[in-house]
């Protein structure tokens, strides 16, 4: 990710703004659980600041969420948002390559980033007294990144290796990539966030500069600050460091509606694996929909814990699968409810498929018991609490809800949604989602056992 | 920081880390013994026994146990390591008392039904087959075999196909009767619980766990290997390799352990370390590149981990060997030492930022027989490391000549290149699906 240093001088970005000159508007206080309040500020250049004072540990989590992900890419240029995330750790006009990390590490900080379909975010976890440092560094790289051919070449290699690690040599990674590429024909969720290998190899510095100029601007970002902080001082620091950055004209995103799937899509893949695997993807609701909460509760009943319906049937009682997992993709637009099962030796993926279909039909037809509902809600409550243990956990929830839904208070209303999910809700959503016509099915067979790759076509 | 603790009349140690930030409680029941007690040929016994603890009591069948855990909004995990066995998890506060009653029931009256044991064995055998998809795990397992040879640390905690089949119900009963004894248990609670509440729940629920004399661990110190031993775990169609290179390190009670940890931070402990810079930043050969020092009662492993493309693997191994040789020959610099000290001292805040992390440190002190102030004095100890001490620890503890070099790869693509590396007399190839 880094290149040898070329520039030696580190000029403080904050030092360039000796006076507070730029307006920050306080927007609102948002109740955060019973004890805390989240405050929202906005800078004149469009930067959103969300702050939560949390004195449970002498640390601060600093996150910058950009409203750009792989959905904003184009065919032939897939993986650019993710590659760019790597490049953001390189040189800036005032920092040599490697200095960004070195300064943060010296301060005892941890830094990393993540990219997915709808967003990219960067985080730093630091001791509380290092807020001025991280504010200065993040503001600097938002507008003063230096992109050179040499750095790009090396980083493309790193990303190619990451792709081999996560996809090419990983059975589940390879299958999941295939699932989305088959399930989505028109929507950008069709391509993988890491990008196709050929596209990764083809990026130029011009591609990267154009991407940076377009999407990395204060009006496309939200800074989330959680920890043992003084709010007034933090606002002043943010204003001083970011106030002068220019906003950008963010392109209007074309609305792409994925056509309704009207027939099952199927594929058989060969992989170097000892047993057969099954991957299913049902078209499911958007993260913002109430039905997403309903499906989350249904998911707990199906695969949450060893007493869940699918685990009990496939793994414990019939012993036809070594594992079964499922989840709904938390996307802005409609995503997939994914189910993954790994067959036990001597069993076929088909056996798992039959058993899964039976359980999905049962939940849609007969619904669930009050005991199952309560169990699912208790489990979700524990998961929610565990996500709130650290400053970085809270910051991640705030940044995610703000970026995907535009409203961090939904963190708590989502918990309320879970609590009000009823048996009738589950039946209704199960009928809607667990429809074979809206499904993509991938069967994995160990190398040497399958006679053909593609199995069936699709509906269009 | 308060050190809230007490010992029960039967000899269990109880540690409490109270915090009312969130209405939940993390708990741990840690046995001071782990897989080093597995008899030869019956590897996996300690883990299987722990697994069977949650598979039913005389009054409850396995499914009823799982229903109860899930219904209470609790999680229960089981972990076995060479030196300990742990049942741990979390529960929402309002269900804490009911969950402790269930846990107590599991620990006091496991049924070890033959039918459940047969199922747990099938499950473990299936897990072993599933693990063949985990390239990193396969390489790591072979690395430990190569570094530790016939020492207990080389043996698989999960066991092998052959060893799992050999384990009998009597083995389990005997292991349970010997090790699941009050003096061998450390109870830990972290989160929304007071010392008084912990005392009440331990008295009520765990007071009946019997005393007993638990055998002392007699694991010897592992012996360093000689020469450079290359092993390829051969798996077809790999575009990428998994590479582990290393040997013995230290144990946390060694006087130079902290000095070595500081030096290792320079070498491969951070994103800007030498290893990361040379392998990833400059050459782009591997997405990750790091070095680590393991911790246990005896000397654990030191290793470098990278995962380069098959085409870069031999060059990457050669580079790593060069970097290690240079490190041991020239040592780290004063500037690097200062950096590592600042990093370790300043980042210590994240070792203790949640109640469960603080509890884990206190349990480690007990497990590894460390001084009570081991972690609270950590920053002081890090700051006290001199350049001479750091470089002396490197020279004394690590070796570039005596190394295990283990790759998971398609052997035909890397074998000749590895055989030509300096100091390599032989390259062994083992199949990825061997037991």
């Amino acid at each position: 990710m880094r290149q040898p240093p070329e520039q030696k001088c580190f000029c403080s970005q904050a030092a360039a703004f000796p006076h507070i000159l730029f307006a920050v508007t306080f927007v609102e206080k948002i109740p955060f659980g019973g004890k805390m309040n989240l405050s929202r500020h906005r800078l004149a250049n469009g930067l959103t600041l969300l702050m939560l004072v949390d004195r449970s540990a002498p640390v601060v989590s600093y996150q910058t969420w950009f409203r750009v992900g792989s959905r904003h890419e184009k065919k032939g240029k897939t993986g650019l948002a993710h590659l760019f995330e790597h490049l953001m750790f390189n040189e800036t006009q005032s920092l040599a390559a490697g200095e960004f990390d070195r300064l943060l590490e010296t301060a005892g900080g941890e830094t990393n980033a993540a990219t997915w379909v709808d967003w990219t975010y960067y985080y730093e976890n630091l001791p509380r007294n290092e807020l001025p440092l991280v504010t200065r560094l993040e503001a600097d790289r938002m507008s003063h990144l230096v992109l050179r051919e040499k750095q790009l070449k090396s980083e493309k290699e790193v990303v190619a290796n990451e792709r081999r690690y996560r996809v090419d040599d990983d059975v589940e990674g390879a299958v999941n990539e295939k699932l989305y590429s088959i399930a989505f024909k028109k929507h950008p969720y069709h391509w993988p966030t890491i990008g196709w290998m050929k596209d990764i190899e083809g990026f130029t510095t011009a591609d990267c500069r154009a991407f940076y100029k377009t999407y990395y601007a204060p009006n496309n970002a939200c800074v989330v600050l959680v920890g043992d902080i003084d709010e007034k001082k933090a606002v002043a620091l943010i204003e001083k460091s970011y106030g002068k950055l220019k906003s950008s004209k963010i392109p209007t995103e074309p609305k792409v509606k994925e056509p309704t799937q009207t027939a099952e899509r199927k594929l058989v893949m060969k992989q170097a694996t000892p047993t057969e695997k099954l991957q299913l993807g049902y078209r499911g609701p958007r993260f913002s929909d109430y039905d997403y909460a309903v499906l989350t509760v249904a998911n707990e009943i199906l695969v949450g814990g060893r007493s869940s319906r699918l685990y009990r049937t496939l793994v414990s009682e019939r012993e036809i699968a070594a594992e079964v997992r499922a989840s709904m993709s938390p996307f802005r637009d409609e995503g997939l409810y994914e189910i993954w099962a790994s067959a036990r030796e001597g069993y076929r993926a088909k056996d798992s498929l039959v058993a899964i279909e039976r359980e999905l039909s049962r939940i849609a037809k007969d619904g669930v018991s009050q005991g199952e509902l309560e169990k699912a809600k208790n489990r979700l409550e524990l998961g929610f609490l565990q996500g709130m243990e650290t400053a970085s956990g809270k910051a991640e929830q705030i940044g995610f809800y703000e970026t995907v839904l535009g409203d961090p208070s939904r963190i708590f209303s989502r918990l309320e949604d879970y609590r009000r999910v009823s048996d009738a809700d589950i039946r209704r959503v199960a009928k809607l989602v667990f429809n074979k016509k809206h499904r993509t099915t991938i069967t994995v067979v160990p190398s040497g056992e399958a006679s053909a790759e593609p199995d069936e076509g699709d509906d269009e | 920081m308060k050190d809230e603790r007490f010992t029960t009349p039967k000899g269990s140690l109880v540690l409490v880390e109270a915090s009312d930030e969130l209405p939940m409680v993390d708990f741990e029941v840690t046995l001071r013994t782990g897989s080093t007690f597995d008899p030869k040929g019956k590897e996996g016994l300690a883990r299987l026994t722990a697994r069977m603890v949650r598979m039913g009591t005389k009054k409850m069948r396995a499914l009823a146990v799982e229903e109860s855990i899930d219904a209470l909004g609790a999680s229960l995990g089981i972990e076995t390591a060479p030196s300990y066995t742990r049942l741990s998890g979390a529960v929402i506060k309002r269900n804490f008392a009911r969950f402790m009653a269930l846990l107590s029931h599991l620990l006091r009256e496991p049924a070890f039904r033959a039918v459940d044991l047969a199922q747990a064995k099938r499950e473990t055998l299936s897990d072993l087959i599933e693990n063949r998809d985990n390239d990193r795990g396969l390489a790591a397992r072979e690395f430990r075999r190569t570094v530790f040879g016939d020492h207990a640390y080389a043996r698989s905690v999960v066991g092998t196909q052959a060893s799992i089949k050999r384990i009998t119900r009597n083995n389990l009963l005997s292991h349970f009767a010997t090790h699941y004894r009050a003096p061998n248990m450390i109870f830990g609670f972290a989160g929304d619980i007071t010392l008084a509440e912990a005392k009440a729940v331990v008295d009520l629920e765990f007071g009946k766990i019997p005393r007993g004399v638990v055998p002392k661990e007699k694991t010897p110190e592992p012996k360093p290997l000689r020469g450079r031993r290359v092993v390829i775990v051969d798996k077809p169609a790999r575009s990428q390799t998994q590479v582990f290179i290393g040997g013995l390190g230290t144990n946390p009670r060694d006087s130079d352990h902290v000095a070595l940890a500081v030096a290792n931070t320079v070498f491969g402990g951070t994103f800007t370390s030498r290893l990361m810079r040379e392998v990833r930043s400059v050459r782009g050969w591997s997405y990750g590149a790091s070095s680590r020092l393991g911790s246990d009662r005896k000397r654990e492993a030191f290793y470098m981990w990278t995962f380069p493309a098959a085409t870069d693997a031999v060059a990457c191994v050669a580079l790593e060997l060069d970097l290690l040789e240079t490190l041991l020959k020239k040592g780290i610099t004063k500037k690097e030492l200062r950096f590592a000290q600042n990093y370790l001292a300043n980042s210590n805040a994240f070792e203790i930022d949640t109640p469960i992390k603080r509890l884990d440190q206190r349990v480690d002190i007990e497990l590894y027989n460390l001084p009570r102030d081991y972690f609270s004095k950590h920053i002081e100890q890090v700051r006290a490391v001199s350049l001479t001490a750091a470089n002396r620890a490197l020279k004394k503890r690590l070796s570039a000549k005596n190394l295990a070099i283990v790759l998971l790869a398609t052997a035909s693509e890397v074998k000749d290149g590895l055989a030509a590396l300096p100091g390599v007399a032989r390259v062994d190839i083992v199949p990825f699906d061997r037991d």
Side-chain angles (χ1 to χ4, degrees), chain A residues 13 43 45-48 62-66 84 88 91-92 100 122 134-146 211-223 238 241-243 245-248:
Chain A
Q13 186 66 26
L43 268 67
N45 58 17
L47 181 80
T48 298
Y62 192 106
Q63 301 192 352
T64 312
W65 287 73
F66 288 94
F84 201 81
M88 279 288 280
E91 190 182 332
T92 72
F100 179 90
Y122 300 82
V134 65
T135 308
R136 192 175 71 201
L137 294 179
E138 278 295 5
D140 182 36
R141 70 174 173 172
M142 189 183 280
S143 283
H144 302 106
L145 195 72
V146 173
F211 185 85
Y212 183 53
K213 207 176 157 192
T214 307
Y215 293 109
Y216 278 69
N219 54 323
N220 203 36
C222 171
V223 171
I238 295 285
S241 299
Y242 289 89
L245 303 188
K246 284 182 186 156
S247 54
S248 165

Side-chain angles (χ1 to χ4, degrees), chain B residues 123-267:
Chain B
E123 183 186 278
T124 307
L125 295 174
S126 169
D127 288 346
L128 287 168
I129 291 171
E130 283 295 300
N131 286 346
R132 291 177 193 163
D133 278 337
N134 180 355
D135 290 0
R136 181 187 173 183
L138 293 172
R141 186 187 67 174
E142 200 58 44
F143 173 75
R144 291 190 72 81
R145 280 178 175 163
T146 312
V147 168
F148 292 108
D150 56 5
H151 189 270
Y153 286 0
R155 303 204 302 248
S156 166
V157 169
V158 184
T160 63
Q161 297 272 340
S163 72
I164 293 297
K165 286 173 188 162
R166 280 189 214 109
I167 293 171
T168 65
R169 182 168 183 268
N170 281 341
N171 294 144
L172 262 69
L173 291 172
S174 166
H175 184 87
F176 184 82
T178 308
H179 296 277
Y180 286 66
R181 297 284 170 168
N184 201 32
M185 289 180 175
I186 304 166
F187 290 88
F189 301 99
D192 195 0
I193 181 169
T194 63
L195 182 66
E197 284 173 314
K199 268 186 177 158
V201 83
V202 170
D203 283 350
L204 180 69
E205 304 293 356
F206 303 106
K208 286 182 185 162
I209 292 174
R211 291 176 207 270
V213 181
V214 180
K216 287 223 168 7
E217 191 186 32
K218 289 176 185 162
T219 309
E221 280 294 344
K223 290 177 190 151
L225 52 84
R226 294 232 172 126
R228 286 181 169 179
R229 289 200 54 195
V230 176
V231 181
I232 304 170
V233 183
D234 188 19
K235 193 172 184 182
R238 298 296 88 190
S239 68
Q240 192 171 52
T241 60
Q242 290 285 332
V243 182
F244 285 84
I245 302 174
L248 292 185
T250 45
N251 81 57
R253 287 192 315 280
D254 285 329
S255 58
D256 54 356
H257 177 75
V258 175
L260 189 62
V262 170
N264 180 59
T265 301
V266 171
F267 185 60

Side-chain angles (χ1 to χ4, degrees), chain A residues 176-282:
Chain A
N176 198 260
E177 179 176 283
K178 208 70 166 168
L179 177 76
Y180 278 82
S181 76
I182 298 171
F184 292 93
K185 300 282 183 187
K186 208 171 163 193
H187 195 284
Y189 292 166
H190 165 80
W191 57 74
T193 298
I194 199 162
W196 304 116
M197 189 65 104
K198 204 177 162 194
D199 292 354
I200 295 167
E201 287 163 355
F203 286 121
T204 64
T205 47
D207 292 328
C208 298
R209 283 193 190 112
F211 185 85
Y212 183 53
K213 207 176 157 192
T214 307
Y215 293 109
Y216 278 69
N219 54 323
N220 203 36
C222 171
V223 171
V224 183
L225 200 46
V226 178
D228 192 358
I229 51 169
D230 177 312
E231 273 194 286
K232 278 187 186 165
K233 284 183 185 168
V235 171
L237 268 173
I238 295 285
E239 187 176 34
K240 210 157 66 165
S241 299
Y242 289 89
K244 226 176 181 179
L245 303 188
K246 284 182 186 156
S247 54
S248 165
K249 188 170 164 34
I250 310 297
T252 311
E253 201 182 327
K255 282 190 178 161
V256 183
K257 174 92 176 113
E258 180 68 25
T260 306
Q261 188 176 335
T262 54
E264 185 183 15
R265 298 169 188 172
K266 294 201 281 188
L267 181 79
V268 178
M269 286 173 78
K270 286 183 195 177
Q271 290 281 304
T273 182
T275 55
E276 289 196 0
K277 322 282 183 211
L278 176 72
Q279 169 91 77
L280 303 175
Y282 291 92

Side-chain angles (χ1 to χ4, degrees), chain B residues 43-114:
Chain B
E43 292 82 9
L45 175 61
R47 182 179 177 273
L48 199 57
T49 307
R51 170 74 186 98
M52 284 294 291
V53 164
R54 74 182 282 173
M55 285 192 80
T57 66
K58 284 156 194 164
K59 291 176 191 160
M60 286 177 97
R61 294 303 302 264
L63 180 58
V65 171
E66 299 303 339
E67 284 281 4
S68 302
I69 294 169
D70 292 341
L72 293 171
S75 63
L76 176 63
I78 288 162
E79 181 192 358
T80 309
S83 299
Y84 67 86
T85 302
R86 179 175 291 156
L87 287 83
S88 65
V91 61
I92 42 185
K93 168 75 179 184
R94 65 176 177 274
N95 293 334
F96 175 69
R98 282 194 285 163
F99 189 67
M100 287 302 109
L102 173 67
L103 187 63
S104 147
H105 194 43
L106 299 181
L107 282 169
R108 287 187 291 110
E109 297 175 24
F112 295 121
R113 288 185 183 85

Side-chain angles (χ1 to χ4, degrees), chain A residues 1-4 35-36 54-60 82 86 98 101-102 104-112 125-127 130 154-155 157-162 164-166 168-171 272-277 304-308 311-312 315-317 319 321-323 340 342-345 371 374-379 381-382 385-386 388-391 394 419, chain B residues 20-24 26 51 54 63 66-76 89-95 98 118-119 122-123 126-127 129-130 132-133 135-136 235-242 270-273 277 280-287 305 307-312 335-336 338-339 342-344 346-350 352-358 432:
Chain A
M1 192 179 273
R2 322 287 185 266
Q3 290 292 304
K35 298 177 189 169
M36 294 190 256
D54 171 11
R55 304 207 192 281
S56 58
V59 300
V60 60
H82 172 256
H86 280 234
D101 282 308
R102 200 68 170 178
L104 288 169
E105 285 176 353
T106 303
E110 179 211 1
T111 176
N112 213 329
N125 298 320
L126 291 131
E130 298 294 351
S154 165
E155 216 52 57
E157 274 297 310
V158 171
V159 172
N161 276 314
E162 184 181 354
R164 288 183 192 103
Y165 177 59
R166 295 194 194 281
D168 300 342
D169 278 10
D170 182 88
V171 177
T273 182
T275 55
E276 289 196 0
K277 322 282 183 211
R306 288 172 184 257
S307 74
S308 62
Y311 188 91
R312 206 171 65 200
V315 181
S316 303
E317 289 175 359
E319 299 185 33
E323 63 165 335
W340 171 265
S342 180
R344 284 233 186 152
E345 205 178 31
E374 195 182 331
K375 186 169 73 173
K377 292 172 188 182
N378 278 341
R379 283 179 55 85
E381 185 181 339
L382 178 68
L385 292 171
Q386 288 175 319
M388 291 287 168
E389 270 193 290
T390 58
K394 292 183 187 92
R419 286 181 180 137
Chain B
D20 61 0
E21 290 290 330
L22 293 167
M24 58 179 270
D26 287 292
R51 170 74 186 98
R54 74 182 282 173
L63 180 58
E66 299 303 339
E67 284 281 4
S68 302
I69 294 169
D70 292 341
L72 293 171
S75 63
L76 176 63
V91 61
I92 42 185
K93 168 75 179 184
R94 65 176 177 274
N95 293 334
R98 282 194 285 163
Q119 182 176 3
R122 289 194 299 274
E123 183 186 278
S126 169
D127 288 346
I129 291 171
E130 283 295 300
R132 291 177 193 163
D133 278 337
D135 290 0
R136 181 187 173 183
K235 193 172 184 182
R238 298 296 88 190
S239 68
Q240 192 171 52
T241 60
Q242 290 285 332
T270 75
F271 216 91
T272 59
S273 64
R277 193 174 61 236
R280 174 169 160 152
S281 307
V282 176
R283 294 169 180 84
W285 278 349
S286 175
Y287 175 57
W305 173 49
F307 37 109
T311 45
D312 296 324
K335 194 177 166 190
E336 287 176 320
R338 201 169 301 125
F339 161 76
N342 283 332
Y343 170 74
L344 291 170
N346 294 332
S347 64
N348 191 58
F350 295 98
I352 50 172
D353 63 333
T354 62
I356 187 66
K357 287 187 193 173
R358 296 192 287 273
F432 78 98

